[in-house]
Amino acid sequence: MSYASQLLDSYPRTFNVDAGILAAAIDALTDCAQACTADADDDLSEHNVAELVKCIRLCLDCADICATTAGVASRQTDYDANVTRPLLEACIASCKSCGNECQRHAMVHAHCQVCEQACRRCEQACKQLIDAIT
Amino acid sequence: MSYASQLLDSYPRTFNVDAGILAAAIDALTDCAQACTADADDDLSEHNVAELVKCIRLCLDCADICATTAGVASRQTDYDANVTRPLLEACIASCKSCGNECQRHAMVHAHCQVCEQACRRCEQACKQLIDAIT
Amino acid sequence: MSYASQLLDSYPRTFNVDAGILAAAIDALTDCAQACTADADDDLSEHNVAELVKCIRLCLDCADICATTAGVASRQTDYDANVTRPLLEACIASCKSCGNECQRHAMVHAHCQVCEQACRRCEQACKQLIDAIT
Amino acid sequence: MSYASQLLDSYPRTFNVDAGILAAAIDALTDCAQACTADADDDLSEHNVAELVKCIRLCLDCADICATTAGVASRQTDYDANVTRPLLEACIASCKSCGNECQRHAMVHAHCQVCEQACRRCEQACKQLIDAIT
């Protein structure tokens, strides 16, 4: 069981969202942030770095947005749907753009294939969370 | 002239947004991120910290979201409106929620008044940027 | 196998550190960043929040430092020991301070016990990495 | 007067460091984080991006480390010198490495010259802060 699950289990108040869906989203977000950071660096080390500039840029955006969304989703105290909902929408858009660009390079670069998987999983997990929150 | 302005001036490609509006937004975002981080800490040191829990939580969210939005707005290479637009919307929502909560404590705590000003300015700068981007 | 491991496996150049030790540190760092973010929020929701102010502050520091260290450790391109080494030392110091404070509350608050475990594991993983890097 | 100065002025407790030195460091850190983020992106848009890979990597590290150090320095509640001191040392090392690499490209790329200035100013401000803290 991830720390995210354990910390939701020991949260002192109640919260209005399924803990399993929330923990899955937090884990997918932190994993995706790391994958995007690493993939941008992998791209920088490739011989064809000039062809990977868009991939690097989108990975840097996606890493930042996923990390921030993980932080906001981890905070349940005085939860504010007005903030969480549009942020999840931005994160879904970022994972989609980054995943699509990684997919273009996935046949040539195995690291882009791994990053695409992280982005797709995170996009799905955020969609499930946005459907679950009130 | 801020570094943000100078760095936009020396950007090697063209970009499709007014440089003054973009630099003003980046500066307001980095300032707001710092103000929210400091205000959350100021709240933690107050005797009535228990009454400031919501303010702390919203400041932490707003700090993270503004810092991430500053990063995304600072990147012009292969600009992706599908990511920038919803992220600016999330940031506007966060600045509004945080500014409103800070306003509730502004008469008692001068630091909340400063933070409210940072949030209001950032909200306006992001609105001007979202109107300017294509 | 974590994304960190998979992305190190597909890194296009060679690197001068054991991949298993590096991946373990990256995973421990991202886990600890999330745990500290969540524990600070759990603390904010406790009735005795005024007694947890130091714990919140150290958790916020530790979350930021672990996230940044995870990013730097994830980048292998043009690795710079002059940056990585003191940053790992700062991260070890932060995990130790935060873990010690969490331990003080671990009997009363289960979430502090979880966070202490995350900090201790991260401290050890960073020590192993600092011993392994050249 | 920056928000950092105003927020230190309204901090509810006392702190054991000169407020002017602390505010100058916080401002230099947030400025440097933005400059490094923008310079990495400027590099990505250059025709000779393959020659700027090391500069991009060091800018990404420096941006993350400066942002985190700004956050830690902005928190005065239950200040912990055991964390702040090594983090400032890591930040000084990062600003030095990044400033040196930017300097190598400063004659060709004006954005690297701006970023070098931000790194040098931040390095000095952090050195002054580390001398001032107890």
Side-chain angles (χ1 to χ4, degrees), chain A residues 9-131:
Chain A
D9 278 355
S10 52
Y11 180 68
R13 300 186 194 174
T14 56
F15 47 89
N16 293 313
V17 60
D18 180 272
I21 290 172
L22 180 55
I26 294 169
D27 288 338
L29 285 159
T30 54
D31 283 357
C32 191
Q34 196 278 326
C36 287
T37 298
D39 192 40
D41 183 72
D42 288 343
D43 289 346
L44 279 177
S45 280
E46 291 289 355
H47 293 296
N48 66 336
V49 59
E51 298 165 37
L52 294 166
V53 161
K54 185 177 181 181
C55 190
I56 294 170
R57 187 256 148 87
L58 291 176
C59 279
L60 294 177
D61 282 4
C62 201
D64 285 352
I65 295 170
C66 285
T68 283
T69 308
V72 172
S74 296
R75 294 182 197 109
Q76 288 302 311
T77 304
D78 288 303
Y79 166 77
D80 185 337
N82 293 329
V83 176
T84 305
R85 190 173 292 276
L87 183 61
L88 282 170
E89 283 165 2
C91 195
I92 290 165
S94 176
C95 289
K96 189 173 181 177
S97 277
C98 190
N100 287 348
E101 183 62 23
C102 286
Q103 188 179 24
R104 291 186 55 237
H105 308 286
M107 294 292 284
V108 182
H109 299 309
H111 47 81
C112 289
Q113 193 177 14
V114 176
C115 192
E116 187 207 342
Q117 291 167 4
C119 290
R120 302 304 189 199
R121 179 182 143 222
C122 189
E123 184 187 347
Q124 288 306 311
C126 288
K127 282 180 178 171
Q128 290 183 321
L129 181 56
I130 213 169
D131 287 343

Side-chain angles (χ1 to χ4, degrees), chain B residues 11 34 41-42 45 76-77, chain D residues 11 41-42 45 74 76-77:
Chain B
Y11 180 69
Q34 197 278 325
D41 184 71
D42 287 343
S45 280
Q76 287 302 312
T77 304
Chain D
Y11 180 68
D41 183 71
D42 288 343
S45 280
S74 296
Q76 288 302 312
T77 304

Side-chain angles (χ1 to χ4, degrees), chain A residues 1-4 6-7 10, chain C residues 27-29 31-33 35-36 39 59 62 66 95-96 98-104 106-107 109-125:
Chain A
M1 194 163 65
S2 74
Y3 293 126
Q6 293 179 61
L7 285 156
S10 52
Chain C
D27 289 337
L29 285 159
D31 283 356
C32 191
C36 287
D39 192 40
C59 279
C62 201
C66 286
C95 289
K96 190 174 181 177
C98 190
N100 287 348
E101 183 62 23
C102 286
Q103 189 179 22
R104 290 187 56 238
M107 294 293 284
H109 299 310
H111 49 81
C112 289
Q113 192 177 14
V114 176
C115 192
E116 187 207 341
Q117 291 168 4
C119 290
R120 301 304 189 198
R121 178 181 143 222
C122 189
E123 185 186 348
Q124 288 306 312

Side-chain angles (χ1 to χ4, degrees), chain C residues 48-104:
Chain C
N48 66 335
V49 59
E51 298 165 37
L52 295 165
V53 161
K54 185 177 182 181
C55 191
I56 294 169
R57 187 256 149 87
L58 291 175
C59 279
L60 294 177
D61 282 5
C62 201
D64 285 352
I65 295 170
C66 286
T68 283
T69 308
V72 172
S74 296
R75 294 183 197 109
Q76 288 302 312
T77 304
D78 288 302
Y79 167 76
D80 186 337
N82 293 329
V83 176
T84 305
R85 191 173 292 276
L87 184 61
L88 282 170
E89 284 165 2
C91 195
I92 289 165
S94 176
C95 289
K96 190 174 181 177
S97 276
C98 190
N100 287 348
E101 183 62 23
C102 286
Q103 189 179 22
R104 290 187 56 238

Side-chain angles (χ1 to χ4, degrees), chain D residues 39-60:
Chain D
D39 192 40
D41 183 71
D42 288 343
D43 288 346
L44 278 178
S45 280
E46 292 289 354
H47 293 296
N48 67 337
V49 59
E51 298 165 37
L52 295 165
V53 161
K54 186 178 182 180
C55 190
I56 294 169
R57 187 254 149 88
L58 291 175
C59 279
L60 295 178

